[in-house]
Amino acid sequence: MKRLRANDPCWCASGEKLKRCHGDRSALQRPPVRRGVPAALRSVPESIARPPYLATGGHPTGPSGRQVFDAAGLEAMRHAGRVAAQVLLDAGAEVRPGVTTAELNDIAHDSYVRQGAYPSTLGYRGFAHASCISVNEVACHGIPDSRPLADGDIVNIDITAFVDGYHGDTSATFAVGTINPAADALVAATCEATLAGIAAAQPGRTINEIGRAVEAVARPRGYGVVTMYGGHGIGTVFHAAPHIHHTAHPSATAKLVPGMTFTVEPMLTAGREDLVSWDDGWTEVTIDGLISAQFEHTVAVTADGVEILTVTDDGTSAVTWPNAVVTAAGAGR
Ligand SMILES: [Zn+2]
C-alpha cells in the first residue's frame, strides 16, 4: 500500500502539506535518548514457577511450533493475559515526568510477584529485567534505566507474564505529560492499527490479512511500519511460530485456525522504518531518530472471530488511546 509522502496534502484535511502538518519532522523528533544506568537486578520468590528456558541459561531448547489450544489451554492463556494486562496498567499508571524507566520496571516487577507470575523477559536470552521500556525513537527492547522521563516523551512498556506454564504478552505506549499533536497522532494511529490488525485475525483468513489491515491505517497517514520485527505465536512457548507480519507480506498465506494464539504488535514510525541496534545488544532505535510507537495484545482465534486475551476481568487494558478512531469491527471478546 502506498505511503502518503511529505509533499502530499496532509490526511487531516488542513490543506497543508504533510511535512508542514502532521508529518513535521521537528515535531516528530525529540532530543536523542541517551542510555542511563540499567535498573538493578531484582529477584523473584522461589515459590513462583519459572519458565523452562531459565534452566538452560535463558536459551529455549524445546519445540517452538505454532500454539493451538483447547478450552482448558485457552482458559490458562486468559489467566496469563489477565495478569499481564494488570501489570501493564499498574506500571502505566505511574508514567509521568521525572519518573525513571527503572522505577517503572520496579512497579511492574512488584505487580507480577504480587499476582504470582514470573516476568518472562527476566533471564530470557540474557535480558535482565521484568519489562522492556522504550522511549521516543527507541522502537523496542529498551532496557529500563536511570533516565527520567521528560514532559513530551512517549514511552512504550512491554510486559510478558508467565503463569502456570503459559505466557501472556502485551504492551502500550503512554504519553509523558503533554505531547505535541503530531506525536499524539502517531500514537493514535498505532493504537488503531493494532486493533484493526486484531480485527482481521479471523478464522480461515490468511496471516497477511493482519498486516494488510495495519498498513491500511498507517500508510494513508504517512507512517512507516517496522518489518524487522513482527508478532509471534505464544502460549506455553514465549516466542513461537508463526511470524505475524505487520505488512501484507505476499508469502504469509498460512490460514488462521480456531485455538491459535499469537501477538499482534505493530510498530509505526514517523520517518524511516529501518531500525539500528545499540551495542547493548537489545535497544532498537529508528535509523533517522524520529519517534516510533507500539501497542500489543495476545489474541486467540475463535470459531467465529478473535478474542483479546490480555485484558482484565472487566475487559479493560492499557491498549487504548484517547484520540484513536477505531472503525474496524470484530475486535474484542
Ligand atoms: Zn495534518
Side-chain angles (χ1 to χ4, degrees):
M1 178 172 286
K2 192 169 165 294
R3 180 175 176 182
L4 194 69
R5 297 201 304 206
N7 285 316
D8 291 334
C10 191
W11 50 267
C12 76
S14 61
E16 300 282 349
K17 289 180 176 179
L18 178 65
K19 69 182 182 185
R20 304 259 175 257
C21 191
H22 283 93
D24 178 359
R25 295 173 69 90
S26 67
L28 295 164
Q29 188 150 33
R30 303 270 305 156
V33 173
R34 307 286 182 208
R35 73 192 73 191
V37 179
L41 198 57
R42 299 276 311 271
S43 64
V44 174
E46 289 300 329
S47 57
I48 293 177
R50 267 69 172 155
Y53 48 79
L54 266 288
T56 50
H59 292 272
T61 52
S64 58
R66 64 180 200 165
Q67 308 283 295
V68 183
F69 297 107
D70 60 12
L74 290 173
E75 196 47 46
M77 284 295 290
R78 285 186 196 100
H79 184 197
R82 272 197 298 275
V83 170
Q86 188 60 54
V87 174
L88 183 58
L89 286 164
D90 289 347
E94 300 304 320
V95 169
R96 65 177 66 91
V99 171
T100 68
T101 55
E103 288 170 329
L104 295 177
N105 182 70
D106 279 344
I107 291 157
H109 187 103
D110 293 341
S111 179
Y112 288 103
V113 169
R114 199 164 53 237
Q115 298 182 81
Y118 188 89
S120 303
T121 52
L122 181 58
Y124 181 75
R125 297 188 183 277
F127 195 83
H129 305 287
S131 60
C132 296
I133 304 188
S134 304
V135 177
N136 296 336
E137 76 273 22
V138 181
C140 64
H141 299 168
I143 294 173
D145 69 13
S146 57
R147 181 190 183 280
L149 296 175
D151 188 60
D153 285 346
I154 60 171
V155 58
N156 174 275
I157 304 175
D158 195 339
I159 295 297
T160 311
F162 180 77
V163 193
D164 296 336
Y166 292 79
H167 299 270
D169 193 356
T170 183
S171 87
T173 298
F174 301 89
V176 183
T178 306
I179 63 173
N180 73 53
D184 188 292
L186 170 71
V187 185
T190 309
C191 186
E192 291 178 43
T194 305
L195 297 175
I198 291 168
Q202 303 283 326
R205 292 209 205 163
T206 55
I207 286 173
N208 59 18
E209 291 296 323
I210 296 169
R212 197 183 313 282
V214 169
E215 284 196 278
V217 174
R219 303 291 188 203
R221 293 181 217 177
Y223 300 129
V225 180
V226 170
T227 57
M228 276 178 57
Y229 289 95
H232 51 90
I234 185 169
T236 56
V237 176
F238 184 4
H239 289 118
H243 182 83
I244 304 295
H245 299 267
H246 294 122
T247 57
H249 198 279
S251 69
T253 55
K255 290 250 167 66
L256 300 168
V257 298
M260 269 180 90
T261 50
F262 52 85
T263 68
V264 176
E265 47 175 312
M267 285 170 233
L268 268 54
T269 61
R272 287 179 59 184
E273 300 167 353
D274 304 296
L275 308 180
V276 289
S277 312
W278 283 2
D279 63 10
D280 60 20
W282 288 103
T283 310
E284 298 276 8
V285 301
T286 60
I287 195 164
D288 58 8
L290 270 59
I291 60 173
S292 171
Q294 182 178 29
F295 289 87
E296 173 183 18
H297 269 310
T298 297
V299 305
V301 178
T302 65
D304 56 1
V306 59
E307 176 181 344
I308 296 175
L309 301 173
T310 35
V311 289
T312 63
D313 264 332
D314 61 3
T316 59
S317 80
V319 181
T320 179
W321 192 256
N323 301 328
V325 181
V326 179
T327 53
R333 308 185 89 156

